[in-house]
Amino acid sequence: MEKISRTKIVDLLKRRDFGAMVNVKGWVRTRRGSKQVNFIALNDGSTINNVQIVVDLANFDEEMLKQITTGACISVNGELTESIGSGQAAEVQARGIEVLGTCDNTYPLQKKGHTMEFLREIAHLRPRTNTFGAVFRIRHNMAIAIHKFFHERGFFYFHTPIITASDCEGAGQMFQVTTKNLYDLKKDENGAIIYDDDFFGKQASLTVSGQLEGELAATALGAIYTFGPTFRAENSNTPRHLAEFWMIEPEVAFNDITDNMDLAEDFIKYCVQWALDNCYDDVKFLNDMFDKGLIERLQGVLKEEFVRLPYTEGIKILEEAVVKGHKFEFPVYWGVDLASEHERYLVEEHFKCPVILTDYPKEIKAFYMKQNEDGKTVRAMDVLFPKIGEIIGGSEREADYDKLMTRIQELGIPMKDMWWYLDTRKFGSCPHSGFGLGFERLLLFVTGMTNIRDVIPFPRTPRNAEF
């Protein structure tokens, strides 16, 4: 076969210079036809759309043609022609075919529908399906949109450590990082492990959040964001939890809680608009195949102003719903940490649009949140979305050294780990705010997928670290 430089299918399908000789390479999705002519649907991952290769069987070796099965990888030279059939404007009349990689009939992705559960068992192959091709192209586009949004607004991308000796959320559910021989651990007289001979000389873990370091950066650079992997060792086998996920955490000096809410709303709307503008084919495919209301929901989020609702009023609405006979699995009362069903009731049934819940009881929120004058609530905000529940959690931070110290002591957080964080409140403290967005939660919303394991290439969940 003569050497012609390759054209990606996404570009080829836009071309109208019919008669030109082209080369395409990709994986066979299907092959059908008669004794005279075969039609091969070829996909190279650059788009949800396949290109049709028309093969006149008389011109090709029969033994070579036998190798062109579903999943095989081929290179095709041919003439770009106008497509007579519906669907695509362009197709390729094959002049030369080379089989780059054969694929036998044990290939699990034969032409039939597969369940999401089955595809998770072959996560190394699932990117080759239409569904996961679409999801992972959207995932890339969302990452680009996030960097673009912050860069255009003068934020600096700040890399916080993956390995840390502090527990940001006080949740304690952290993965330990060690080089110690676990069969032979040195312990002191109280039975506690001695970490002196460990790599870092102290107990270290994988980060649950880059926020604390992000705050340090914001009090120097003004406005920063982090975007990296985070780890939670929670034994949560739900469709909304992963042990390893990605998080975006902006932190902004001089922003109060209202500025923080404005930023969160602008940010999500920018990302959703980006998906509609740049991933329409993929979004449309997911809309048609999985979730007929997806595009409508995405457009709805862009149109609506998010409702801003104090927690206390939210609880009143939920209590009234209970009185009127609505059944919740979990009880509703002032002071409760809302369950996903409560959040979704407010968003999907009461307001029918995204809700930003504010001013939570301080008991159910982290130590670093700014306390309100009432002494009972803090300037927290959670952005609640249809079908997902909480998609963003954030707050204005406590900038007052004494108040922060008191809260740390009340909660019994070990001071030896927190001295550097407190320095920001000693040396030129300033008001500042930020939030965390779980990247995969955003992707659940944008793709219409229902399980968080289906928006990350290789999910890490309890009892599962395959691939």
Side-chain angles (χ1 to χ4, degrees), residues 284-296:
K284 175 103 176 63
F285 171 81
L286 295 168
N287 181 90
D288 297 348
M289 294 297 289
F290 290 98
D291 182 349
K292 299 284 187 273
L294 175 60
I295 290 175
E296 200 182 323

Side-chain angles (χ1 to χ4, degrees), residues 20 44 68 136 139 170 176 178 227 289 302 334 351 353 369 400-402 420 428 460:
D44 66 0
I68 302 176
F136 296 139
R139 187 179 169 106
Q176 280 198 51
T178 182
F227 185 176
M289 294 297 289
L302 297 174
W334 198 94
F351 290 106
C353 73
M369 296 189 179
D400 182 286
Y401 179 85
D402 294 328
W420 50 272
R460 298 292 178 246

Side-chain angles (χ1 to χ4, degrees), residues 156 158 213-224 251 253-254 424 428 430:
F156 300 108
F158 191 75
E213 293 91 348
E215 284 186 56
L216 310 181
T219 56
L221 299 169
I224 65 96
E251 196 71 38
F254 317 116
T424 53
C430 69

Side-chain angles (χ1 to χ4, degrees), residues 383-428:
V383 181
L384 312 178
F385 254 48
K387 291 202 114 178
I388 314 278
E390 184 202 330
I391 193 167
I392 280 180
S395 68
E396 185 175 337
R397 316 307 189 189
E398 184 56 76
D400 182 286
Y401 179 85
D402 294 328
K403 281 187 181 169
L404 190 62
M405 264 313 280
T406 306
R407 198 79 192 102
I408 283 174
Q409 284 158 354
E410 281 171 7
L411 293 169
I413 296 167
M415 271 309 301
K416 67 178 178 12
D417 296 336
M418 297 309 297
W419 64 272
W420 50 272
Y421 180 68
L422 286 162
D423 272 2
T424 53
R425 275 61 171 181
K426 282 198 329 214
F427 306 134

Side-chain angles (χ1 to χ4, degrees), residues 130-426:
N130 286 332
T131 302
F132 286 93
V135 167
F136 296 139
R137 279 187 297 271
I138 292 170
R139 187 179 169 106
H140 156 79
N141 265 283
M142 288 295 89
I144 294 291
I146 286 161
H147 286 301
K148 215 168 148 44
F149 174 87
F150 288 118
H151 179 67
E152 285 168 4
R153 284 157 186 73
F155 282 64
F156 300 108
Y157 179 31
F158 191 75
H159 295 106
T160 55
I162 305 286
I163 299 174
T164 172
S166 55
D167 177 1
C168 169
E169 296 298 315
Q173 291 155 327
M174 300 176 81
F175 288 103
Q176 280 198 51
V177 175
T178 182
T179 54
K180 288 172 79 71
N181 175 358
L182 298 182
Y183 295 101
D184 184 22
L185 291 172
K186 278 200 316 198
K187 297 184 179 175
D188 65 16
E189 61 275 16
N190 302 321
I193 295 165
I194 298 168
Y195 285 95
D196 297 355
D197 61 339
D198 205 349
F199 188 91
F200 296 106
K202 56 162 71 170
Q203 192 174 354
S205 304
L206 294 175
T207 183
V208 295
S209 161
Q211 183 203 310
L212 302 186
E213 293 91 348
E215 284 186 56
L216 310 181
T219 56
L221 299 169
I224 65 96
Y225 68 105
T226 73
F227 185 176
T230 39
F231 307 86
R232 305 266 166 105
E234 291 176 59
N235 193 9
S236 296
N237 261 313
T238 83
R240 302 183 331 129
H241 286 87
L242 290 165
E244 173 185 299
F245 58 99
W246 288 66
M247 194 136 76
I248 297 96
E249 296 178 294
E251 196 71 38
V252 193
F254 317 116
N255 267 14
D256 65 14
I257 188 71
T258 308
D259 302 321
N260 206 28
M261 290 192 271
D262 293 343
L263 180 67
E265 183 167 344
D266 290 347
F267 173 50
I268 289 193
K269 285 181 171 173
Y270 182 97
C271 291
V272 169
Q273 187 69 61
W274 184 274
L276 289 171
D277 290 347
N278 296 278
C279 314
Y280 193 78
D281 284 357
D282 287 323
V283 171
K284 175 103 176 63
F285 171 81
L286 295 168
N287 181 90
D288 297 348
M289 294 297 289
F290 290 98
D291 182 349
K292 299 284 187 273
L294 175 60
I295 290 175
E296 200 182 323
R297 215 163 40 249
L298 294 175
Q299 288 167 340
V301 161
L302 297 174
K303 286 202 293 275
E304 301 285 353
E305 292 283 304
F306 296 2
V307 167
R308 300 182 181 194
L309 181 76
Y311 169 93
T312 302
E313 285 177 40
I315 290 292
K316 277 189 195 138
I317 290 167
L318 292 168
E319 285 174 338
E320 279 163 22
V322 171
V323 170
K324 287 182 186 146
H326 189 89
K327 293 273 186 288
F328 290 115
E329 188 186 340
F330 296 100
V332 176
Y333 54 90
W334 198 94
V336 74
D337 199 358
L338 295 183
S340 165
E341 58 169 347
H342 304 140
E343 296 169 341
R344 288 183 60 178
Y345 177 85
L346 292 171
V347 172
E348 293 167 28
E349 300 191 40
H350 189 84
F351 290 106
K352 297 189 168 46
C353 73
V355 173
I356 307 182
L357 213 54
T358 61
D359 302 305
Y360 280 81
K362 70 177 182 187
E363 275 66 39
I364 58 173
K365 286 295 178 186
F367 73 93
Y368 49 70
M369 296 189 179
K370 185 170 176 64
Q371 296 181 42
N372 285 318
E373 283 66 49
D374 63 14
K376 292 194 303 188
T377 61
V378 288
R379 285 188 200 171
M381 61 161 222
D382 283 357
V383 181
L384 312 178
F385 254 48
K387 291 202 114 178
I388 314 278
E390 184 202 330
I391 193 167
I392 280 180
S395 68
E396 185 175 337
R397 316 307 189 189
E398 184 56 76
D400 182 286
Y401 179 85
D402 294 328
K403 281 187 181 169
L404 190 62
M405 264 313 280
T406 306
R407 198 79 192 102
I408 283 174
Q409 284 158 354
E410 281 171 7
L411 293 169
I413 296 167
M415 271 309 301
K416 67 178 178 12
D417 296 336
M418 297 309 297
W419 64 272
W420 50 272
Y421 180 68
L422 286 162
D423 272 2
T424 53
R425 275 61 171 181
K426 282 198 329 214

Side-chain angles (χ1 to χ4, degrees), residues 106-135:
T106 62
Y107 180 55
L109 298 174
Q110 299 299 333
K111 189 176 165 44
K112 62 177 200 295
H114 299 287
T115 65
M116 289 294 152
E117 289 73 22
F118 171 70
L119 291 173
R120 271 174 230 140
E121 290 168 18
I122 53 162
H124 61 308
L125 295 174
R126 68 180 184 169
R128 289 207 213 170
T129 62
N130 286 332
T131 302
F132 286 93
V135 167

Side-chain angles (χ1 to χ4, degrees), residues 236-242 441 444 450-454:
S236 296
N237 261 313
T238 83
R240 302 183 331 129
H241 286 87
L242 290 165
R441 296 249 175 119
L444 277 181
T450 52
N451 192 315
I452 203 155
R453 295 171 174 89
D454 299 329

